[in-house]
Amino acid sequence: MQDQKLRGRQVDVVVVGAGFGGMYMTHLLVQKGLSVQAFERGDDVGGTWYWNRYPGCRCDVESMEYSYKFSDELQQEWEWSERYSPQPEILAYANHVADRFDLRRHFSFQSSVTSAKYNEADKLWVVETDRGDQVNARYLIMATGCLSAANIPDFQGLDVFSGPTYHTGAWPKEGVDFAGQKVAVIGTGSSGIQSIPFIAEQAKHLTVFQRTPNFSVPARNKPLDRGVAASIKADYAQFRAAAYQQPAAFGAHFPRREDSVLDVPPEERDARFEEYWGHGGFMFLSAFGDIGASPETNKFAGDFVRKKIREIVKDPDIAEILCPDSIIGCKRLVADSGYFETFNRANVDLVDVSSSPIERFTATGLEAKGQAFELDAVVFATGFDAMTGALLRIDIQGREGLSLKDKWSAGPRTYLGLATAGFPNLFMMTGPGSPSVLANMVTGIEQHAEYIAEAISWADERDISSFEAALDAENKWVEVVNMRSEATLYPQCNSWYLGANVPGKPRVFMPFIGFPDYVAMADEIAAKGYEGFSKA
Ligand code: N01
């Protein structure tokens, strides 16, 4: 952390965030000779992987894919140890990248950006932090992450609970020792499902409060086969290029089937599901081509997982509570390591709070379903104010004092998920309206960073000082994003993709579905002189 406040410093670009997005963005801009001031609220780099240190945290995109491809030296020299990387290893990788490309010198750490206001007369963004910094910049790039604004529901009496509480997305650096404790985990999304088996092993007793059962498939994590890693590295460019053509920018190495369940005889259907279940991870949803679009096929996939849950969980009543009756893949599928098996442990209880919510916290625990639960510690695995939360918690004002919060009061509106009308020279990395959370995040980040850096160079070469999404282009883009989601089953459940997990948040499907199509459309827009952006 630096001691000196930055007052009145002027730079070409302010970048907000030191996750994978902010780091690569900063690297590219500096390489182009632009002056950059970057801010980060944590005390070091890593973003998501800096904050999410909960036990069991690991990536569910495979290691050889969940990494930068911009530097061949980097991808050749780094050795991943497991099929799916654990959080400490990804954080070590982020630190390695920061060291290797000397990125930290551009960042002020422990500095949260509180406001960013566009000064139209000077065509400058005025950016302020909670440390009292004030920096002016021609461009503002928000690399604040899609899942970085923690959501802790407004539980009655939470302030009177005397024990410690933790959010999975803001886990203490020094770790937490639950040995001998009675612990509650609230929430059964990816973070809950990953952490529950580990907390169960450590705690004296664990109570899991589940509002909605979630579909989860085995990750089948294992040590990364060195031969496999070497063969990928022998032609990493080809491996990356194949992934780039996949709908979610990963998973080219295992077949993505195009046929429908309805095209194959029942015995073949089950064998297919079994094969994909055995492979592990998200590829389960690629066992048939229409799992995400056909309710009938989707039900077959869901039935298969429900059958597996009933086989794994010994107590039939608990198994029923754990069986989702929803659309598989509609909420984000989870890849787990021993999640359902955890409910066979004698020290684990499951409480279904789907029909009657947690009533209140007390000094010694919480009350739900008319019952008191004595607790030493509580883990909120309650997710995030996704995609818009990190942006809207900052007071961002564009032309004529228009606030982003007001502009997006009925849901986010962007052009390409990169820019929004009324906010010149503001770019969002992996913003709403871009593939973002429905693609390999690192690949999406690289594509956005390169696109933004090129757009700024292009504008600078033409002495363009104001580069802004045009309203009609934005309106058309929002329609495209909506149309693509409506062709799928995604809008039919209460997922965070729709903002449904945060009370009062407008219900809008936020990500763009289909990475390759997105890249093609974005490239065509650039080739046509950044069509749909107003330039002055
Ligand atoms: O959050 P979530 P997450 N009372 O929103 C429940 C990424 N990620 O942190 O479903 C009781 O999915 C809520 O219930 P419901 C990944 O993209 C990736 O787990 O809303 N419960 C739900 O069960 C993921 O999707 C990785 O009814 C309440 C849970 O809390 C995203 O982050 C690892 C409640 C929140 O689940 C978010 O995952 C971890 C209440 N009042 C995360 N409010 C990997 O790469 C909420 N809940 C592996």
Side-chain angles (χ1 to χ4, degrees):
M1 175 181 163
Q2 56 173 62
D3 304 308
Q4 290 272 303
K5 271 187 208 159
L6 303 167
R7 300 290 305 177
R9 179 170 183 220
Q10 185 162 329
V11 291
D12 291 316
V13 188
V14 159
V15 174
V16 187
F20 280 26
M23 284 202 295
Y24 183 43
M25 191 75 250
T26 299
H27 175 61
L28 273 183
L29 296 169
V30 169
Q31 273 193 325
K32 282 186 178 285
L34 295 167
S35 56
V36 179
Q37 171 61 51
F39 292 110
E40 162 58 46
R41 71 190 161 107
D43 69 4
D44 209 338
V45 298
T48 285
W49 303 103
Y50 173 96
W51 296 103
N52 286 268
R53 297 167 190 252
Y54 59 84
C57 180
R58 69 174 65 246
C59 189
D60 48 16
V61 173
E62 296 191 32
S63 312
M64 295 303 287
E65 308 203 60
Y66 192 85
S67 53
Y68 289 121
K69 65 177 169 52
F70 72 85
S71 158
D72 193 46
E73 293 80 10
L74 173 65
Q75 65 181 5
Q76 292 296 337
E77 75 200 5
W78 187 262
E79 298 285 352
W80 298 105
S81 67
E82 296 180 53
R83 179 181 178 189
Y84 297 97
S85 298
Q87 174 272 332
E89 203 168 300
I90 306 177
L91 186 58
Y93 172 75
N95 277 281
H96 172 73
V97 172
D99 292 340
R100 196 184 197 290
F101 299 101
D102 194 14
L103 299 179
R104 284 192 189 79
R105 67 197 165 95
H106 308 291
F107 280 87
S108 291
F109 292 100
Q110 291 182 300
S111 305
S112 292
V113 169
T114 49
S115 72
K117 296 178 183 167
Y118 189 63
N119 176 332
E120 241 178 306
D122 298 336
K123 294 188 174 164
L124 288 174
W125 279 96
V126 182
V127 180
E128 296 190 334
T129 74
D130 61 349
R131 289 182 69 248
D133 304 305
Q134 190 198 73
V135 175
N136 304 323
R138 295 193 295 124
Y139 285 93
L140 172 63
I141 302 178
M142 303 303 289
T144 41
C146 296
L147 295 156
S148 50
N151 168 47
I152 299 185
D154 190 13
F155 289 113
Q156 193 189 325
L158 186 54
D159 51 332
V160 302
F161 177 60
S162 57
T165 61
Y166 308 96
H167 188 280
T168 50
W171 204 258
K173 259 180 147 176
E174 62 280 10
V176 181
D177 183 3
F178 290 116
Q181 295 191 4
K182 286 175 283 186
V183 181
V185 173
I186 301 174
T188 51
S190 300
S191 307
I193 286 178
Q194 282 193 333
S195 59
I196 282 165
F198 289 81
I199 296 173
E201 269 179 24
Q202 215 182 57
K204 182 172 158 202
H205 191 272
L206 171 64
T207 311
V208 175
F209 291 87
Q210 173 193 278
R211 187 166 69 180
T212 312
N214 223 333
F215 281 107
S216 186
V217 296
R220 306 215 185 276
N221 186 41
K222 57 186 177 189
L224 183 62
D225 185 304
R226 303 273 36 108
V228 169
S231 71
I232 291 172
K233 284 186 176 184
D235 194 355
Y236 225 143
Q238 188 278 331
F239 180 82
R240 299 289 197 184
Y244 216 71
Q245 295 311 317
Q246 300 302 307
F250 68 87
H253 55 290
F254 198 70
R256 192 177 292 281
R257 309 302 283 264
E258 297 298 332
D259 54 356
S260 169
V261 164
L262 308 176
D263 298 335
V264 298
E267 58 284 0
E268 212 178 293
R269 170 206 313 153
D270 280 357
R272 178 88 63 82
F273 280 130
E274 201 65 63
E275 179 193 354
Y276 280 71
W277 176 266
H279 176 73
F282 288 146
M283 295 309 288
F284 182 78
L285 294 177
S286 304
F288 291 95
D290 56 352
I291 292 177
S294 153
E296 218 172 343
T297 301
N298 191 281
K299 187 169 178 310
F300 279 111
D303 284 346
F304 180 86
V305 177
R306 282 184 279 270
K307 185 182 79 176
K308 290 290 185 190
I309 296 171
R310 291 179 185 121
E311 281 168 13
I312 297 168
V313 180
K314 290 188 184 131
D315 181 327
D317 295 336
I318 300 286
E320 283 322 296
I321 298 172
L322 288 166
C323 277
D325 62 359
S326 48
I327 296 162
I328 184 167
C330 188
K331 284 190 178 205
R332 193 170 183 274
L333 186 65
V334 182
D336 72 89
S337 299
Y339 173 64
F340 293 114
E341 290 82 347
T342 301
F343 293 93
N344 294 331
R345 294 178 65 105
N347 71 331
V348 176
D349 283 331
L350 178 65
V351 180
D352 173 9
V353 289
S354 58
S355 51
S356 54
I358 290 168
E359 285 145 27
R360 67 186 63 79
F361 276 76
T362 62
T364 56
L366 66 79
E367 292 172 10
K369 307 186 94 169
Q371 201 185 327
F373 295 85
E374 295 288 308
L375 299 168
D376 299 310
V378 175
V379 174
F380 293 108
T382 45
F384 302 90
D385 184 352
M387 305 206 68
T388 54
L391 292 165
L392 296 181
R393 287 178 189 188
I394 298 171
D395 180 13
I396 300 178
Q397 294 182 22
R399 275 190 290 109
E400 294 164 20
L402 173 66
S403 85
L404 191 62
K405 202 176 254 168
D406 285 346
K407 170 158 182 187
W408 286 4
S409 59
R413 301 188 71 80
T414 71
Y415 184 41
L416 288 171
L418 277 167
T420 186
F423 297 78
N425 299 358
L426 167 69
F427 289 108
M428 292 160 272
M429 297 191 73
T430 62
S434 73
S436 56
V437 292
L438 290 183
N440 179 347
M441 283 302 303
V442 187
T443 308
I445 278 167
E446 281 185 312
Q447 189 261 340
H448 263 190
E450 288 161 13
Y451 199 86
I452 294 167
E454 276 310 304
I456 292 176
S457 294
W458 185 92
D460 282 355
E461 282 158 16
R462 288 161 181 77
D463 284 330
I464 289 165
S465 53
S466 174
F467 192 93
E468 178 186 346
L471 193 56
D472 57 340
E474 176 175 298
N475 289 339
K476 283 186 196 138
W477 186 257
V478 171
E479 269 176 42
V480 170
V481 176
N482 289 341
M483 268 167 41
R484 294 180 78 92
S485 74
E486 281 154 18
T488 72
L489 301 174
Y490 274 119
Q492 297 186 25
C493 64
N494 291 325
S495 68
W496 58 256
Y497 298 132
L498 285 152
N501 62 323
V502 175
K505 190 165 172 171
R507 191 179 171 94
V508 172
F509 190 81
M510 294 182 278
F512 179 103
I513 298 172
F515 183 76
D517 285 355
Y518 175 85
V519 174
M521 290 159 96
D523 286 350
E524 193 184 336
I525 285 165
K528 289 184 179 164
Y530 295 94
E531 190 178 58
F533 286 95
S534 314
K535 302 110 188 163

